[in-house]
Amino acid sequence: DIVMTQSPDSLAVSLGERATIHCKSSQSVLYSSNNKNYLAWYQQKPGQPPKLLIYWASTRESGVPDRFSGSGSGTDFTLTISSLQAEDVAVYYCQQHYRTPPLTFGGGTKVEIK
Amino acid sequence: QVQLVQSGAEVRKPGSSVKVSCKVSGGSFSSYAFNWVRQAPGQGLEWMGGIIPIFDTTNYAQKLQGRVTITADESTSTAYMELSNLRSEDTAVYYCAREKRSRDLLAEALEYWGQGTLVTVSS
């Protein structure tokens, strides 16, 4: 199984500042046939289901603000919130859907306001 | 607008079973993969298994093999997850989620999610 490791577990960022979350997979999630990384990012707020933010490592889901961006390839990925807003307080998860089953998630990163 | 609506909260005793439903509206049902993901209180997300109705294929997490059964009723566009021999550690919110696109070869990101069903296992 591919193990997904996120860091940090939590971070506190001032409003308007940048938040950066890292995700590392134990094996590459790059599919060479289409050159896409099968890595997704989700945002989960308390009492709500997860919400898809980014897929294929860097493609923003429709309706997601452009302050959210994803980058990386192979085994190392980053989710960046360029200017943190109050509504961005949530837990963020990365997930690989390349070598399945199983789909595997990172442990989550809690983002708070400093 | 695709919507996944799950059945309501359940309370079960250890050793019993629970079956959670996930009714899909507003989009095609059979050609998409539906996955079940659970979240224990204060914990992260755990994939349980999935089904592709058009192929009637299922996959399960190894740790739940033998206890979990995922099915789909194409006539009602409803997916089901049944978990048997319940233990206290099965107390969690259970989510169904539909993949973003019909599978070409590989699994896709989870675009649509149900609202979640709290299952509490307690004697």
Side-chain angles (χ1 to χ4, degrees):
Chain A
D1 297 357
I2 295 181
V3 177
M4 308 300 290
T5 304
Q6 284 184 237
S7 62
D9 293 335
S10 65
L11 75 161
V13 176
S14 300
L15 288 172
E17 295 300 305
R18 179 184 300 261
T20 303
I21 301 168
H22 301 281
C23 175
K24 187 173 182 67
S25 57
S26 61
Q27 301 172 44
S28 175
V29 296
L30 174 63
Y31 185 38
S32 56
S33 294
N34 60 12
N35 202 36
K36 292 187 186 299
N37 288 278
Y38 280 65
L39 187 286
W41 288 97
Y42 301 86
Q43 174 194 65
Q44 188 179 32
K45 297 180 179 180
Q48 297 184 18
K51 173 187 175 183
L52 177 63
L53 294 178
I54 303 280
Y55 59 97
W56 290 338
S58 60
T59 300
R60 203 177 301 115
E61 176 72 343
S62 175
V64 172
D66 60 7
R67 63 180 180 272
F68 291 92
S69 64
S71 62
S73 184
T75 60
D76 292 281
F77 301 91
T78 301
L79 175 70
T80 301
I81 309 172
S82 61
S83 176
L84 190 75
Q85 304 300 303
E87 61 265 33
D88 301 334
V89 169
V91 179
Y92 294 83
Y93 295 93
C94 62
Q95 177 224 354
Q96 70 82 22
H97 50 102
Y98 177 54
R99 293 191 186 279
T100 66
L103 278 70
T104 49
F105 293 89
T109 297
K110 186 174 185 178
V111 174
E112 300 172 306
I113 305 295
K114 185 188 291 184
Chain B
Q1 177 74 355
V2 176
Q3 283 192 305
L4 280 61
V5 178
Q6 299 181 219
S7 49
E10 304 271 12
V11 179
R12 291 286 186 274
K13 292 191 183 304
S16 67
S17 298
V18 69
K19 191 171 185 176
V20 180
S21 67
C22 172
K23 183 166 178 59
V24 181
S25 62
S28 172
F29 177 76
S30 300
S31 58
Y32 288 89
F34 289 88
N35 294 267
W36 289 87
V37 175
R38 70 178 180 178
Q39 187 170 38
Q43 302 302 305
L45 302 170
E46 178 187 17
W47 180 79
M48 302 178 67
I51 187 167
I52 306 176
I54 196 171
F55 300 127
D56 198 25
T57 56
T58 53
N59 291 108
Y60 300 117
Q62 192 166 9
K63 69 176 281 190
L64 297 173
Q65 283 275 4
R67 291 206 299 136
V68 64
T69 304
I70 295 172
T71 57
D73 182 342
E74 294 182 65
S75 67
T76 60
S77 298
T78 303
Y80 298 91
M81 185 284 300
E82 183 169 22
L83 190 59
S84 63
N85 193 19
L86 289 166
R87 310 155 184 172
S88 58
E89 52 265 38
D90 293 319
T91 294
V93 175
Y94 289 75
Y95 295 103
C96 61
R98 198 204 82 172
E99 294 185 4
K100 184 170 177 62
R101 54 182 53 80
S102 301
R103 286 193 187 183
D104 185 3
L105 183 63
L106 302 180
E108 301 288 345
L110 304 177
E111 180 177 14
Y112 297 102
W113 294 70
Q115 82 276 20
T117 297
L118 175 62
V119 175
T120 303
V121 183
S122 173
S123 55

